[in-house]
Amino acid sequence: MAKQGTLRQRLRDVTAEAMLEAAERAMVKKGYDKATMAQIAAEAGCATGTFYLYFKNKEELFEAIIARHGKVLFETARAGMETTDDPLEKVRRGAEGHLRYIHQHKPFFRLFLTAMPMRQRTLHAKLSPRVRQQHEDYSQLELEALRAAQKKGQVRRDLPVELLQQFMDAVGINIVEEFLFSNCKRSLDEQMEIIWGLITGGIGARSSHERS
Amino acid sequence: MAKQGTLRQRLRDVTAEAMLEAAERAMVKKGYDKATMAQIAAEAGCATGTFYLYFKNKEELFEAIIARHGKVLFETARAGMETTDDPLEKVRRGAEGHLRYIHQHKPFFRLFLTAMPMRQRTLHAKLSPRVRQQHEDYSQLELEALRAAQKKGQVRRDLPVELLQQFMDAVGINIVEEFLFSNCKRSLDEQMEIIWGLITGGIGARSSHERS
Amino acid sequence: MAKQGTLRQRLRDVTAEAMLEAAERAMVKKGYDKATMAQIAAEAGCATGTFYLYFKNKEELFEAIIARHGKVLFETARAGMETTDDPLEKVRRGAEGHLRYIHQHKPFFRLFLTAMPMRQRTLHAKLSPRVRQQHEDYSQLELEALRAAQKKGQVRRDLPVELLQQFMDAVGINIVEEFLFSNCKRSLDEQMEIIWGLITGGIGARSSHERS
Amino acid sequence: MAKQGTLRQRLRDVTAEAMLEAAERAMVKKGYDKATMAQIAAEAGCATGTFYLYFKNKEELFEAIIARHGKVLFETARAGMETTDDPLEKVRRGAEGHLRYIHQHKPFFRLFLTAMPMRQRTLHAKLSPRVRQQHEDYSQLELEALRAAQKKGQVRRDLPVELLQQFMDAVGINIVEEFLFSNCKRSLDEQMEIIWGLITGGIGARSSHERS
DNA sequence: CATGAATGAGTGTTCATTCAT
DNA sequence: CATGAATGAACACTCATTCAT
């Protein structure tokens, strides 16, 4: 019974995964609102009703798609952070992880930025609890690194870390948005360098500069 | 005839103005998509059909709302720029003008950022030609100021002014977005100081720093 | 008072006439349903409301247009009949009068056949009483002529005149319809000859044939 | 799979058939334009949306109704033609087939003649390709029969067969229209005899008469 | 589990008609 | 008489969701 349950569960997950992929494809093609459940089902090669066995409604379906990316995104970023001990470099590698993942999934992020169904684009938006948690966790790690960097004098001390983080997010997200929607020809590494240059300027060890 | 035309025109404008206000109120309340023409009309205290005497359709109605704000927004910003001759200060005052206006019209900008109907959130989005032009014009002024600032060594020279501007927009928009959607208690001036601090860091006269 | 009334009446008629012409132009251009009262008013160079001072509603406006043509059409046909004493020739000249008038007002008749608003195309349709009467009157004259022709052995006697008339109408109307809607290059006289040839065949003095 | 497909298809056809019948009933009652989709759905005992699973829109729904009748109408007429070898008799039986079918479906033909949605009443009107083809095919057969009849001296030779056919259509359609809209008490056979009598007169072997 | 036919509430838009000025 | 701004009922069509099979 237990084994069967597990097997069932595994099958269920595989199916759900396939459906998410199909739904993402359809939504990327048409946009969230204009992708009808019928089209999504056609893309998945199953009946409309079937989706409702796996997801409560269209919105939750989209949230699941987001969650699926969110999980990998934050895992990647966290993994990046752990490849070094230097606080500021931690932050940079985390950011780079983000950027790299987004780069590899441009169409989805275009969809995400463009068509969030709840129309709440802020980072604090009401995402699915799972993603929210993932974001929260990553956020904590980043804050810790920023605090350490402050201690080491790598970043300015006159502003709270929360604000520095907010600034980083702002720069990151919006510049990435530019890169996503414009036909940016710059390579990933060039982009990263530019973004990081700007961020460093903003959060950099100002006090020391000012002193000098 | 001319006078009558003027009178008619004036009445028309007053009515259109009132309708725009009502529509804005309704959309702010419900969001662009969910605010039905019926609700909007109710808010304006007139019949549905009446709106179609003044605006071709729902989308143009929204564009008119945007244009109405856009006009004042950019005029304010431009006026701010012209109160000084120092290039970098020009840029700062322009940005401050933006921020101040947005602050005074939070609900609308929440709507705007949240519910753009064409789902094109980039700054270069296809707005109504009028707004687009206004934005373009302001953009040119800002670029000129940035170039002058570069010449005077007030901002870094290693990046093209277009990129610096993009960075400023990114910071401005997204931080403002934060302020709009979170319950930010900071005063306008505090906000401006923070934003400008970060921006200055990013675009600041880096070359000299690096030399040192 | 009486004179003034007459003057007023004359002015009224002139105005109404102009409105009818304008309305016909607009409807011919767009079709009955698609010609909006606004467009019609624009064509007439007056306000929408003005039409409702002269005609109860759109349908009566159209009926008035029909009546205006009907009057002349039947007068022409009747006049034609009275230019001869031979019964069958009377009938022919009446028919020719019809055809000639229709020919000179193709656009209107296309409109009429195409877009009758009450969607009642039969000749016995509920036209405005005036036109109905005019049609009735002409019909009587034609029947009398046919009866006389029967007596003289010019047309078959085995069918009632009403049926012969019906047959004539049928041929006339539908062949004319063909001529109106197809790009018929035949001259009016050629057309008339063909139609009359067919009609003569149908109603012609059969009894003599049968004897032979 | 094939069997299932056939079963599904069969069910679909049955449903579509029922919907067509209901729609025809509703439209016959109210007229094409005034029969709303809601009323039609009520007549069919289903929801509005359901119709859109079977027909793209109201116009195609009507076209399907027409096509359904057209198919049987022309098949009946053709079958009638093939029951004899005499050319003129072929033509007569074809016409009789038409008349008989129309007689059995008076309400529909009243609707058809009254409310053609595209407002193109000519016989060459833009019907659905299927019906158009069916009409075309039958038309060809009739023309061949007329040509054969001309050769045998059964019908006049001084006019092209196309014109004779046009004449027949004209008489047929319009007389039938009369019969449909007036309260004609004549039996089908009587009607046919009359129509055929008139047609024979028009297209009859004139040349021989003229010679005599 | 899967299906897909059926649902029906919901919406933007048009336009003949009215009526205060 | 003339105006034309305002009206608001009416309608075709869509699509997320359900449920009998």
Side-chain angles (χ1 to χ4, degrees), chain A residues 150-166:
Chain A
Q150 265 189 339
K151 265 190 196 150
K152 287 185 68 174
Q154 293 176 313
V155 296
R156 58 199 294 183
R157 291 172 171 139
D158 57 336
L159 290 176
V161 281
E162 286 79 9
L163 200 59
L164 295 181
Q165 188 184 42
Q166 190 173 302

Side-chain angles (χ1 to χ4, degrees), chain B residues 175-206:
Chain B
I175 294 243
V176 161
E177 199 169 334
E178 289 290 332
F179 286 152
L180 283 176
F181 288 103
S182 63
N183 276 349
C184 177
K185 299 296 177 198
R186 268 180 263 266
S187 78
L188 177 62
D189 289 332
E190 283 172 322
Q191 279 180 35
M192 185 59 208
E193 203 176 336
I194 292 168
I195 293 179
W196 189 243
L198 293 167
I199 286 178
T200 319
I203 67 173
R206 192 65 43 83

Side-chain angles (χ1 to χ4, degrees), chain B residues 63-177:
Chain B
E63 275 171 17
I65 296 174
I66 294 172
R68 192 162 149 271
H69 281 291
K71 201 183 162 210
V72 191
L73 172 64
F74 290 115
E75 272 169 8
T76 306
R78 192 173 348 183
M81 283 184 88
E82 283 163 7
T83 56
T84 180
D85 282 335
D86 181 70
L88 190 58
E89 181 60 14
K90 260 183 193 290
V91 174
R92 201 194 66 80
R93 294 202 184 165
E96 195 181 9
H98 269 83
L99 187 63
R100 197 172 300 279
Y101 187 83
I102 292 171
H103 227 263
Q104 285 158 358
H105 300 274
K106 275 187 180 184
F108 164 73
F109 283 94
R110 256 191 288 257
L111 169 66
F112 177 69
L113 291 171
T114 288
M116 274 280 271
M118 36 318 245
R119 310 291 143 74
Q120 295 271 15
R121 279 277 319 289
T122 352
L123 283 185
H124 308 301
K126 276 163 195 164
L127 296 172
S128 84
R130 262 192 303 173
V131 188
R132 199 176 161 63
Q133 190 55 50
Q134 288 159 350
H135 176 266
E136 209 64 49
D137 292 347
Y138 177 76
S139 205
Q140 284 309 320
L141 291 182
E142 198 177 54
L143 283 177
E144 281 169 30
L146 280 170
R147 269 189 218 103
Q150 265 189 338
K151 265 189 196 152
K152 286 187 69 175
Q154 293 176 314
V155 297
R156 60 198 294 183
R157 291 171 170 139
D158 56 338
L159 289 177
V161 280
E162 286 79 9
L163 200 59
L164 295 181
Q165 188 184 42
Q166 190 174 301
F167 165 70
M168 284 181 53
D169 286 351
V171 178
I173 288 180
N174 251 20
I175 294 243
V176 161
E177 199 169 334

